[in-house]
Amino acid sequence: MVQRPGVPTAPELVLRTDTGSTPMSPGRTYHVGRDPLCEICLDDARVSWHHALLRPDGDHWTVEDEDSTNGTWADGHRVHEWAVGAGSELRFGGERDAPRVLLLGPEPARAPARDRPSSVARPALSHTFRQPSGIRPLPDRTAARTTVRIGRALDNDLVIDDLAVSRRHAELRALDDGTYEIADLGSHNGTYLGGAPVEGAARITEGDIIGIGHSAFCLAGDQLQEYVDTGEVSLDVQDLSVAVGRGRDRKTLLDDVSFPVGAKCLLAVVGPSGAGKSTLLGALTGLRPADQGTVLYDGRDLYRDYAELRSRIGLVPQDDILHAQLTVRRALGYAAELRFPQDTAKAERRARVDEVIGELGLEQRAGQPIHSLSGGQRKRVSVALELLTKPSLLFLDEPTSGLDPGMDRSVMHMLRGLADDGRTVIVVTHSVLSLDVCDRLLVLAPGGRVAYYGPPEETLGFFGYAQWPEAFEAFENDRGRDWAAEYRSSPPHRKYVDITAHQPRLGAAAPGRPAGQAAVAPPPTAQSWGSQLGTLIRRYAAALGADRTFLAIMIALPFVMGAMARALAGSALTQETAINALLILCVGGVLTGAANAVRELVKERVIYQRERAVGLSRSAYLMSKVVVLGAVTVAQAVVLTLVALLGVQLNAPDGEGVFLPPLVEITLAVALLSFTAMMLGLLVSALVKKEEVTMPLLVLLAIVQVVFCGALLQLDGVPVIEQLAWLVPSRWALGAMAGTIDLGAIVPGTLTDDPLFAHQGGVWLLNMGMLVALSVLFGVLVARLLRRHEPAVMRK
């Protein structure tokens, strides 16, 4: 509020509560309530979220109750508006024992504190950095030992009880020149200085933030102050804008989006399709930073300090992010192995899994396969996975999609409970059935602009409609209406968004780069590559073993294809049977390999994207598929070949193959063909966007293998066709098998007069070598395609 010239101004006062003092300037209004974004925040259940205002009124101050539930009391009386000044006593929520506020005259000026961490852009919005949770003296340089060892193990100088912290995590060292440095001791989740990872050791100065797990440390004189992120964090979103395309094709997805989110707040984001809800989710989580604007995590710039802060952000996508064949406990156990440091004991992981199972009420379901749970229970399991690492910010994308109204309300009440337990929860949803359990509602209009932000119960009244369908129809039908401008000029905007408007805006781009585009390294992996691979192999094998349909098909397919080949081969490979028998072996090898793999990557895409964002190794993930599926595929190929040819007279020259017994060489060729087809199946799975298209592509793949293998058409010497056939695995596999038995001698003719069918060592090795080369080529292409589906920050 700005006073008019000639009008006396209200005096400066100091407002004192049980937790501290706040200077009151007559140039502005102060909000009192339970909302952490209020200037006067009173954490008491009797205080309403927005309880009252303290505003300058001419030459005095006035307290104004905002229709609070339990009332505002001044000097022993319940009041709606009341003149107050120095010496006034106010109570909010009751007459006698409710939270008390005293108004006093201004305190003498004091020198500014020097211990404020310099990386906290908005100290007033920070809960973590309001007060140190612990203070310890720094090491004495004259002592024999000048280091402070930090870690989870009890024999450290500074013990941090946090599973995100390694047993031996870091050391704070005193240097001879009077300064200090922080050194990372090879921790799995990293040590951070000012939000950036520490490589080896880094010098620190007073005010720098040292991040280790959920804790932060700051030098203040001769002391080390510790601040712990307990989960009660605020989020301040400033001027976010996102656009795609160029020139005339440029499209705005988010347009100047700003709003505050208090600690322990449950915020729902709604809006019509195409309003930018998913884009906003990417910007708030840091996975797809905004082109312009700032996101403040508890007063810290999320984009600048993203390397450190991202581990405190949980994201539950719309699709389930767990293997449905596994039991709840087993799935969470594997997730804990991948997310916690490698030195975490099995008992520690199991205890944390049991803790989140209990927190989400899943004790009775812990031993059930996830696919047998109801939709709401499966969503609870997905949330449980994210809660393993104790995130302070939890985002959910359409958690109630596809659920009935009862399940919808159950999930929203679960989120209400998670927020009340000390987290900030933001949920993107299309459902409006249970918005009443939320503290705040953000409505996005088409074009990614804020049409409303405030309490859900005031939303429809603000728009002037009685039902939500009417409001959404208005967004669609009244495209020319400037919803954002109407909201910016409205009382709800001044009341619910402008409460932080007096703070300096931080949306300007840093020199040399657009806002939000900091160079952020991929997150550190909690496990070594080999440990990740071992965990992924065990998890994938367990998931396949629990899939009875897959097991049945895996077992039956080689026997069926082998029996067909056996029927064609008869008792011996002759002029009439040889080509057909080898062709069926090729088709069987291709089908067994490709069918195993063609769905495996696309069906797990959401799981991979989330796990990759928290440190999963791309190569370890791909290698786990290759190892498990490769073992299964090779075993199938061996069964297929033995069922088809064991006991059959192969009629190889002098009964011998090129290097080994004929049956062994043919088995090797079919096994390598199946493995290469499996890699080709993974390539198809990495290419497609939907699981439904994989089966038609599998049929097409099999037809191509038949046409270009060389058993039906002459390929040698045919331009273009011969070169295309080089990329077809069955072409080389048939050549190797034909060379083993010298097919040209058994079936004379132009078709078999193919150089690749020659009974020669060099030719046989060429055929087998090309299968190996194609496997490697397909694997490289799969790895490149996996990269396309990762968050931008992970594409390194």
Side-chain angles (χ1 to χ4, degrees):
M1 175 176 178
V2 179
Q3 299 290 332
R4 297 190 306 273
V7 178
T9 60
E12 292 187 357
L13 295 176
V14 173
L15 183 147
R16 180 171 294 172
T17 67
D18 293 338
T19 59
S21 300
T22 301
M24 293 175 55
S25 168
R28 48 175 295 206
T29 297
Y30 293 82
H31 298 73
V32 182
R34 211 169 66 250
D35 187 343
L37 292 178
C38 290
E39 289 85 354
I40 315 300
C41 179
L42 302 175
D43 190 10
D44 189 288
R46 292 166 292 184
V47 179
S48 297
W49 193 253
H50 285 104
H51 196 105
L53 298 175
L54 279 165
R55 53 180 172 81
D57 192 359
D59 61 351
H60 64 278
W61 289 84
T62 294
V63 61
E64 178 182 347
D65 187 82
E66 291 195 286
D67 298 323
S68 64
T69 302
N70 296 316
T72 299
W73 302 75
D75 302 324
H77 303 281
R78 183 165 183 169
V79 298
H80 179 69
E81 284 194 32
W82 193 259
V84 294
S88 294
E89 176 183 304
L90 304 175
R91 288 188 181 271
F92 299 95
E95 178 182 1
R96 298 187 181 278
D97 59 348
R100 185 182 69 156
V101 164
L102 292 177
L103 298 181
L104 306 172
E107 296 177 344
R110 295 180 298 177
R114 298 179 60 222
D115 58 355
R116 177 74 67 185
S118 57
S119 294
V120 181
R122 289 281 194 86
L125 299 182
S126 175
H127 288 69
T128 303
F129 293 97
R130 281 183 176 177
Q131 186 173 351
S133 58
I135 298 176
R136 63 171 296 122
L138 290 168
D140 186 354
R141 294 179 182 83
T142 63
R145 186 178 175 199
T146 59
T147 63
V148 175
R149 192 170 59 238
I150 306 171
R152 199 175 78 250
L154 297 179
D155 59 351
N156 286 285
D157 302 307
L158 182 52
V159 178
I160 304 178
D161 185 17
D162 183 352
L163 288 182
V165 177
S166 297
R167 292 185 178 276
R168 302 281 186 272
H169 198 104
E171 280 186 350
L172 179 67
R173 301 167 181 166
L175 304 179
D176 294 336
D177 61 0
T179 62
Y180 296 88
E181 71 175 12
I182 186 72
D184 185 78
L185 300 180
S187 66
H188 287 287
N189 286 330
T191 301
Y192 299 88
L193 181 62
V198 173
E199 302 290 343
R203 193 176 296 260
I204 56 178
T205 59
E206 190 160 321
D208 286 344
I209 293 178
I210 304 168
I212 298 177
H214 288 80
S215 297
F217 301 90
C218 182
L219 287 182
D222 59 350
Q223 295 178 331
L224 183 67
Q225 298 179 340
E226 180 180 8
Y227 302 87
V228 179
D229 185 341
T230 60
E232 295 190 24
V233 300
S234 65
L235 197 70
D236 190 30
V237 181
Q238 299 181 357
D239 312 319
L240 293 189
S241 296
V242 176
V244 294
R246 298 187 179 211
R248 293 184 176 180
D249 296 329
R250 188 170 179 80
K251 180 180 180 182
T252 299
L253 303 181
L254 286 182
D255 188 1
D256 199 24
V257 173
S258 300
F259 58 90
V261 186
K264 301 172 67 172
C265 176
L266 174 57
L267 166 67
V269 181
V270 302
S273 297
K277 299 187 295 297
S278 297
T279 304
L280 177 64
L281 193 65
L284 297 183
T285 58
L287 294 176
R288 295 184 298 276
D291 300 328
Q292 297 293 332
T294 305
V295 179
L296 292 177
Y297 173 101
D298 205 35
R300 299 177 65 183
D301 188 332
L302 175 65
Y303 294 161
R304 183 193 63 199
D305 298 346
Y306 184 63
E308 176 187 349
L309 298 179
R310 61 183 156 200
S311 62
R312 306 181 198 178
I313 298 174
L315 172 62
V316 181
Q318 180 175 349
D319 297 321
D320 293 330
I321 50 177
L322 289 165
H323 291 82
Q325 301 89 347
L326 300 178
T327 64
V328 172
R329 189 183 302 280
R330 199 170 188 184
L332 292 177
Y334 285 125
E337 283 190 50
L338 291 172
R339 296 197 178 195
F340 290 138
Q342 193 167 338
D343 59 12
T344 307
K346 186 176 181 179
E348 292 177 300
R349 293 196 303 267
R350 187 185 300 116
R352 181 58 189 154
V353 168
D354 289 341
E355 189 177 347
V356 297
I357 286 175
E359 184 176 1
L360 292 175
L362 292 168
E363 298 95 334
Q364 303 301 318
R365 312 292 182 185
Q368 284 185 230
I370 295 172
H371 67 77
S372 68
L373 303 178
S374 67
Q377 291 165 346
R378 287 199 302 273
K379 191 57 63 178
R380 285 176 181 266
V381 179
S382 293
V383 173
L385 183 148
E386 291 300 312
L387 294 187
L388 285 172
T389 53
K390 297 185 178 180
S392 302
L393 271 176
L394 183 63
F395 294 87
L396 300 99
D397 188 9
E398 299 288 353
T400 61
S401 177
L403 301 183
D404 61 59
M407 284 294 182
D408 182 300
R409 190 155 188 83
S410 174
V411 169
M412 292 300 292
H413 275 279
M414 172 192 69
L415 301 182
R416 174 73 269 166
L418 292 177
D420 292 339
D421 286 343
R423 301 176 190 87
T424 301
V425 181
I426 298 177
V427 53
V428 173
T429 180
H430 277 101
S431 175
V432 295
L433 298 176
S434 303
L435 296 179
D436 58 305
V437 304
C438 300
D439 299 305
R440 288 288 181 270
L441 178 63
L442 172 67
V443 181
L444 291 177
R449 309 184 75 187
V450 177
Y452 174 82
Y453 179 81
E457 61 271 16
E458 299 178 15
T459 310
L460 288 175
F462 171 78
F463 288 127
Y465 297 104
Q467 301 292 332
W468 275 105
E470 298 174 352
F472 280 97
E473 284 180 2
F475 285 134
E476 183 65 28
N477 298 332
D478 200 354
R479 292 273 181 175
R481 184 173 174 181
D482 194 341
W483 301 91
E486 291 180 17
Y487 177 66
R488 281 197 303 270
S489 62
S490 69
H493 185 274
R494 293 190 292 272
K495 187 175 182 180
Y496 302 119
V497 176
D498 280 349
I499 61 174
T500 57
H502 62 276
Q503 300 279 359
R505 306 305 283 175
L506 302 176
R513 65 172 178 85
Q517 299 299 316
V520 180
T525 58
Q527 306 282 329
S528 66
W529 187 89
S531 181
Q532 277 198 8
L533 177 61
T535 300
L536 291 168
I537 287 175
R538 288 186 288 109
R539 183 180 70 176
Y540 188 38
L544 290 183
D547 189 341
R548 296 183 179 179
T549 301
F550 181 80
L551 283 177
I553 294 174
M554 274 198 312
I555 294 172
L557 185 59
F559 283 98
V560 172
M561 298 300 298
M564 293 172 59
R566 182 70 174 233
L568 290 172
S571 59
L573 295 184
T574 64
Q575 185 173 358
E576 290 76 23
T577 64
I579 292 181
N580 291 336
L582 296 185
L583 176 61
I584 293 298
L585 284 176
C586 284
V587 173
V590 168
L591 283 178
T592 53
N596 289 343
V598 76
R599 296 169 54 247
E600 291 307 300
L601 298 182
V602 65
K603 76 178 183 182
E604 289 186 3
R605 186 156 294 160
V606 177
I607 298 176
Y608 172 72
Q609 288 172 336
R610 183 62 194 133
E611 291 185 342
R612 181 75 175 120
V614 296
L616 178 70
S617 166
R618 182 194 308 147
S619 58
Y621 175 78
L622 177 56
M623 187 57 67
S624 70
K625 299 293 184 185
V626 172
V627 170
V628 175
L629 288 177
V632 170
T633 298
V634 169
Q636 288 177 302
V638 171
V639 171
L640 166 65
T641 309
L642 293 180
V643 170
L645 298 181
L646 187 62
V648 174
Q649 178 62 44
L650 301 180
N651 288 328
D654 301 323
E656 297 181 357
V658 179
F659 295 105
L660 301 168
L663 185 57
V664 175
E665 287 190 0
I666 293 176
T667 302
L668 288 175
V670 176
L672 193 49
L673 169 64
S674 295
F675 185 87
T676 309
M678 178 204 75
M679 297 301 296
L680 183 56
L682 289 176
L683 178 59
V684 172
S685 192
L687 271 170
V688 300
K689 295 183 178 180
K690 294 183 179 180
E691 190 176 342
E692 293 79 10
V693 304
T694 56
M695 288 301 106
L697 288 176
L698 177 62
V699 174
L700 177 62
L701 201 155
I703 293 173
V704 169
Q705 301 299 317
V706 171
V707 173
F708 287 91
C709 69
L712 301 179
L713 300 174
Q714 183 176 349
L715 303 175
D716 180 49
V718 181
V720 180
I721 299 297
E722 180 182 12
Q723 286 70 41
L724 288 175
W726 292 348
L727 298 174
V728 177
S730 61
R731 167 71 167 145
W732 306 101
L734 183 64
M737 290 188 288
T740 293
I741 64 173
D742 195 5
L743 184 63
I746 298 175
V747 186
T750 57
L751 185 63
T752 58
D753 188 20
D754 191 316
L756 295 181
F757 293 177
H759 184 75
Q760 298 174 7
V763 174
W764 191 86
L765 290 175
L766 171 64
N767 287 320
M768 299 294 281
M770 284 300 298
L771 287 173
V772 173
L774 286 175
S775 296
V776 173
L777 173 63
F778 296 153
V780 171
L781 292 176
V782 172
R784 297 288 294 176
L785 289 170
L786 281 175
R787 182 177 177 273
R788 293 192 317 170
H789 304 296
E790 298 169 359
V793 71
M794 301 301 302
R795 296 174 188 173
K796 294 179 181 280

